[in-house]
Amino acid sequence: MIDLRLDDTYETLRKTVENFAQREVAPVIGDFYEREEFPYGIVAQMGEMGLFGLPFPEKYDGMGGDYFALCLALEELARVDSSVAITLEAGVSLGAMPIYRFGTDEQKEQWLPAMCRGETLGAFGLTEPGGGSDAGATKTTAKIDGDSWVINGSKSFITNSGTDITSLVTVTAVTGTKDNGGKEISAIIVPSGTPGFTVEKKYSKVGWNASDTHGLSFDDVRVPQENLVGQQGRGYAQFLSILDEGRIAIAALSTGLAQGCVDECLRYAREREAFGRPIGANQAIQFKLADMELRTHNARLAYYAAASKMLRGEPFKKEAAIAKLTSSNAAMDNAREATQIFGGYGFMNEFPVGRFYRDAKILEVGEGTSEVQRMLIARELGL
Amino acid sequence: MTNIVVLVKQVPDTYSERKLAETDHTLDRESADAVLDEINERAVEEALKIKEAGEGEVTVLCVGPDRATDAIRKALSMGADKAIHVSDEALHGSDILATAKVIAAAIGKVEGVDLVIAGNESSDGGAGAVPALLAELLGMPQLTYAHHVSVEGSAIKVDRETADEGITHLEANLPAVVSVTEKINEPRYPSFKGIMAAKKKPVETLTVADLGLDAGEVGLDNAWSTVSEAAPKPPRTAGEKVEDDGDGGTKIAEYLVGQKLI
C-alpha cells in the first residue's frame, strides 16, 4: 500500500548531511551564535557538498535532485543548528527558486550556477515594515523610466540579504493598478551594490543568531527593465506558489529542531543523576521524552506526506499548512520540555537546548504564522 | 595517467559501543553501526586529488562481509571510479598476514597499478601493519605514515611523520604503496550527484577462490595469533587531586614531570 521508508539515495544523502552536521557544524556553531556571526566556512562547505543545488538541474550546476532531498538536508542540519538550516532554506527556496521557476533563460544563466554552488546567496524581499502576508499593504513601488525600473520603499526581516556573498535580492513592488482597483505587484531583481539600495544594520534577534537578517531600503534604485522576474503583475501570485513549497521546507527544519531536542535530552537523561540515579529513570522524564518523540514522529510524517503529494504533482496546499503547523508546534513544545529537562543548564546559552528554545519561536511565525496556516486549512475545507 | 588502488575498510562506528563476539573474540559486527573508516576517507580523498590534478583512475578495494558494500558505495560517491569487493565466509577472523595476502592477490587483478593508498591503521584492529606487509608481498617500496604526498611523473614524494623524529622526506619510483595519516587532508563529503552516480559504478565481487587462494590460508583457524581472552576496559578512575596550598602549580608540574609528560 504505502511505503514511508527512504530509498537508498535519499537515505545516503540524509546520512551524509547528518554526518556533516555532527562533525563540522556541531563543534563550532555555538561560538558563531554567541558572536552573532555568519558562518562563511560552513556555508562554503555546504556549497561544495552541493546542498544549495539540490533541487536544481545539473545544467545550472545543480544536483539534479528534488525538493524532498532539500527537506531531508534541512531536517538533519536543524537537528544540530537552525541558523545554518535557514540559510540553506532561504538560499534555495527564496533566493534561487523564484529565478529558476519564473526567470528568463538569461536570468537563470546569469544568477543560478553560482547560487547552486553555494558561492553566492540570493534573498527575497516581500515583507515590509507595515505588512507581511497582506499583499495589499505593499508600499514599495517600481516605476518604469526609460528602460529602467526605479524602485522606492523598504523591506523588513530579509534573510541572507546582507552577507558578503549575497548577489541579489528579488523584491516585490507595486507596479500599477489592477482593473479591479487593487495593487498590481511584480517581482524585480535588485543586484547587491546597486546605487540607492541600502542594507540596514543587522537585527538583534531572539534566535537564528548565526543567520543573516536585515531591513532593506530603496531610494530611487535603478535596475534594467529586464530584471523583472516572470510576468508583470504576477509577483504576489508567484510568491504564493513558492511559499507553499517553502512551508514544507520549514516543516522539515522544525522537525529537525524537534528531533535535536530528543537527541540531546535522551543523552542527558541517561547521564545526569539526581537522588542517586539517572533522571531518565524517573517516569516524569520518561513521559516527557515519550511525548517529545511522538511529536517529532508526527511532524516528520506530516512533512513527508506533504512532500509526497508535491512530488507527485498533486495539490498540496492543505498538507503543507498542516505540516508546517504540526512541526512548528512540535519544535516549540519540544524546546520548552528540553530546557526543562536540562534544568539550570537549559537556561545557559552554551547548551544546544537553550539555542533550540530561542530558535523555535520564529518557526511559528516565518513562512506564514500559525494563524495563517489555520486560515489556509479552513479555506481548503471550503469555509 | 595514474592508476590508483585505495584500500578501504568498514569498521564499527567509533561513536557506538564496540564489542568482540563472546564465542570467538572476533569483531561483533552486529552490535555497532558500520561505517567507512575515517582514515580511509582521507586515503580516498588523496587518491581523488592526485587524479584531479592530472589524469587517473581510482579503484576502491575492500575486503569484508557483504554489508561492507555501504562503505564501498561511500567511497564511490566521493568520486572513485570502480570497486573490487572481496567477500567470502572463509575470511572471517583473518589475521593481518592473511588479509595482506588477499589484498595483494586482489591488486593483482587490476592491470597496471601505479599506486596503492591505504590508511595508516584501522580504527578497529589497529595493527597498522597491512600497508607494509602488502608492499613486501607486491615487491613495491613502502612509504608509510604520509602527511603529504605528491606524484611527479613516475616518482612519488612523501613527507613521513613519526612521533618523535619530526618529518622524513621519502622518494620512490612508482609503483609504490603509501599509507596516510589523519593530517593528510580533509576528506570531501559526497554530493547528491555523487551519491546517484555511485549507484551506476561497477563493483566486482570476488571470492577467495577467484583470487587463486586456498581457504586454508585465511580465516580464524589459520591465523598466526589467537585472542584467548577479552575484557572490557576498566572504568576510568577518579584521578589524582592536587590541593592548592599556595604551591599547587609546583605540585602539578612535579606530577607531570613524574609522568614524563613534560
Side-chain angles (χ1 to χ4, degrees):
Chain A
M1 196 183 89
I2 58 164
D3 188 351
L4 287 167
R5 285 174 306 179
L6 300 178
D7 74 17
D8 255 9
T9 313
Y10 286 136
E11 176 57 17
T12 311
L13 172 75
R14 192 200 62 73
K15 262 198 202 146
T16 304
V17 181
E18 177 185 25
N19 200 243
F20 170 79
Q22 298 287 351
R23 273 206 229 169
E24 314 289 340
V25 183
V28 297
I29 197 64
D31 287 342
F32 284 102
Y33 198 89
E34 186 92 32
R35 297 195 303 267
E36 302 194 6
E37 196 180 309
F38 189 80
Y40 286 102
I42 293 175
V43 171
Q45 272 183 294
M46 285 158 59
E48 282 162 24
M49 284 169 76
L51 297 188
F52 287 91
L54 273 174
F56 302 110
E58 293 183 29
K59 184 173 148 190
Y60 300 116
D61 283 353
M63 289 288 125
D66 55 36
Y67 208 78
F68 184 57
L70 172 71
C71 289
L72 290 172
L74 290 171
E75 184 188 336
E76 287 304 328
L77 286 173
R79 260 177 92 176
V80 166
D81 175 66
S82 290
S83 293
V84 292
I86 195 58
T87 300
L88 173 62
E89 198 279 335
V92 174
S93 297
L94 302 174
M97 194 57 90
I99 291 172
Y100 173 63
R101 235 355 107 62
F102 308 111
T104 61
D105 285 347
E106 288 75 25
Q107 287 169 344
K108 290 183 207 178
E109 272 154 32
Q110 183 180 358
W111 303 107
L112 281 183
M115 285 187 189
C116 286
R117 293 193 299 268
E119 291 163 9
T120 62
L121 287 169
F124 198 95
L126 172 89
T127 301
E128 298 194 355
S133 296
D134 175 11
T138 304
K139 285 206 173 71
T140 299
T141 58
K143 292 196 172 74
I144 290 281
D145 178 38
D147 53 4
S148 304
W149 290 104
V150 179
I151 305 169
N152 280 289
S154 53
K155 297 287 174 183
S156 302
F157 316 133
I158 310 303
T159 305
N160 288 346
S161 60
T163 71
D164 297 348
I165 56 171
T166 301
S167 58
L168 63 87
V169 181
T170 306
V171 295
T172 52
V174 179
T175 49
T177 311
K178 287 193 290 191
D179 293 342
N180 64 7
K183 288 174 178 173
E184 177 199 275
I185 292 172
S186 308
I188 298 166
I189 294 173
V190 179
S192 299
T194 306
F197 167 31
T198 310
V199 177
E200 311 284 355
K201 184 166 148 297
K202 71 177 176 197
Y203 292 103
S204 165
K205 293 176 290 188
V206 169
W208 284 0
N209 285 344
S211 81
D212 179 80
T213 322
H214 300 265
L216 308 175
S217 69
F218 303 87
D219 183 16
D220 282 334
V221 173
R222 211 167 252 280
V223 298
Q225 212 174 337
E226 56 266 25
N227 279 20
L228 179 74
V229 181
Q231 283 171 276
Q232 187 169 338
R234 295 283 299 156
Y236 199 71
Q238 287 169 3
F239 183 72
L240 287 185
S241 70
I242 297 261
L243 208 59
D244 282 336
E245 293 177 349
R247 291 201 170 107
I248 305 181
I250 294 294
L253 194 155
S254 307
T255 305
L257 191 151
Q259 180 67 53
C261 291
V262 175
D263 297 343
E264 291 296 325
C265 288
L266 208 48
R267 197 178 313 139
Y268 191 71
R270 290 194 176 114
E271 282 169 8
R272 167 77 183 189
E273 295 198 355
F275 305 109
R277 58 180 189 170
I279 58 169
N282 301 317
Q283 206 175 48
I285 302 293
Q286 290 173 4
F287 279 16
K288 273 193 205 300
L289 267 158
D291 284 338
M292 288 164 70
E293 174 72 7
L294 175 149
R295 286 189 284 260
T296 311
H297 181 81
N298 288 345
R300 188 173 294 118
L301 287 181
Y303 99 71
Y304 277 22
S308 127
K309 280 204 137 188
M310 176 180 67
L311 292 187
R312 283 201 305 270
E314 295 170 14
F316 62 95
K317 194 181 268 300
K318 184 179 74 179
E319 287 74 12
I322 290 174
K324 205 256 168 179
L325 190 53
T326 308
S327 59
S328 53
N329 284 342
M332 242 345 236
D333 290 347
N334 279 14
R336 192 185 60 246
E337 294 289 38
T339 45
Q340 192 66 20
I341 289 173
F342 268 71
Y345 292 115
F347 201 56
M348 298 297 121
N349 276 327
E350 64 181 287
F351 286 85
V353 291
R355 188 153 41 85
F356 294 164
Y357 187 77
R358 295 170 61 173
D359 290 342
K361 179 59 217 169
I362 187 63
L363 300 170
E364 295 185 317
V365 176
E367 306 265 348
T369 60
S370 295
E371 291 72 20
V372 164
Q373 309 306 324
R374 288 185 171 88
M375 247 167 62
L376 290 169
I377 296 166
R379 198 180 293 162
E380 290 292 309
L381 289 172
L383 294 171
Chain B
M1 158 117 180
T2 319
N3 191 359
I4 309 169
V5 174
V6 183
L7 308 186
V8 302
K9 186 178 187 186
Q10 191 184 46
V11 297
D13 193 341
T14 48
Y15 289 105
S16 54
E17 198 193 342
R18 296 174 294 173
K19 285 193 294 199
L20 297 182
E22 282 180 20
T23 46
D24 62 2
H25 302 310
T26 59
L27 180 64
D28 180 357
R29 292 182 190 270
E30 299 310 315
S31 74
D33 291 337
V35 296
L36 171 62
D37 205 347
E38 211 176 301
I39 195 71
N40 297 150
E41 288 182 33
R42 297 180 199 275
V44 172
E45 177 66 36
E46 201 56 27
L48 294 175
K49 277 188 172 165
I50 294 168
K51 176 189 155 176
E52 285 159 5
E55 259 182 80
E57 186 173 54
V58 177
T59 306
V60 169
L61 170 57
C62 178
V63 179
D66 288 349
R67 74 189 266 199
T69 320
D70 290 345
I72 293 171
R73 288 281 167 213
K74 176 153 191 195
L76 292 175
S77 65
M78 286 174 73
D81 300 291
K82 58 192 175 72
I84 297 172
H85 183 186
V86 184
S87 179
D88 199 317
E89 281 293 315
L91 289 167
H92 175 79
S94 292
D95 63 4
I96 47 170
L97 288 169
T99 304
K101 258 191 231 175
V102 170
I103 293 171
I107 287 174
K109 294 269 176 186
V110 184
E111 218 168 295
V113 174
D114 297 306
L115 185 57
V116 178
I117 305 182
N120 58 346
E121 64 178 55
S122 62
S123 63
D124 57 353
V130 167
L133 288 167
L134 187 63
E136 183 67 21
L137 291 170
L138 293 171
M140 292 182 190
Q142 49 164 309
L143 304 93
T144 53
Y145 288 82
H147 80 158
H148 185 261
V149 174
S150 62
V151 175
E152 290 162 24
S154 63
I156 180 161
K157 285 184 180 173
V158 155
D159 290 349
R160 182 178 204 267
E161 189 187 4
T162 45
D164 302 323
E165 283 116 53
I167 293 160
T168 320
H169 302 283
L170 300 177
E171 194 174 337
N173 285 324
L174 296 176
V177 177
V178 168
S179 79
V180 300
T181 71
E182 281 185 354
K183 287 187 191 153
I184 185 113
N185 57 39
E186 280 306 316
R188 70 194 66 187
Y189 287 87
S191 72
F192 190 71
K193 208 155 66 175
I195 291 167
M196 289 198 295
K199 288 169 132 184
K200 298 185 195 113
K201 290 177 177 172
V203 179
E204 188 183 359
T205 309
L206 299 172
T207 61
V208 170
D210 292 336
L211 295 174
L213 294 171
D214 189 89
E217 296 174 68
V218 298
L220 188 61
D221 293 342
N222 305 296
W224 284 63
S225 58
T226 55
V227 179
S228 50
E229 202 183 342
K233 202 155 60 169
R236 206 186 279 197
T237 52
E240 200 166 310
K241 209 171 187 176
V242 176
E243 295 284 346
D244 185 14
D245 304 318
D247 58 350
T250 318
K251 280 187 191 161
I252 290 173
E254 279 167 3
Y255 175 81
L256 292 173
V257 169
Q259 299 289 318
K260 297 203 167 123
L261 289 168
I262 54 172

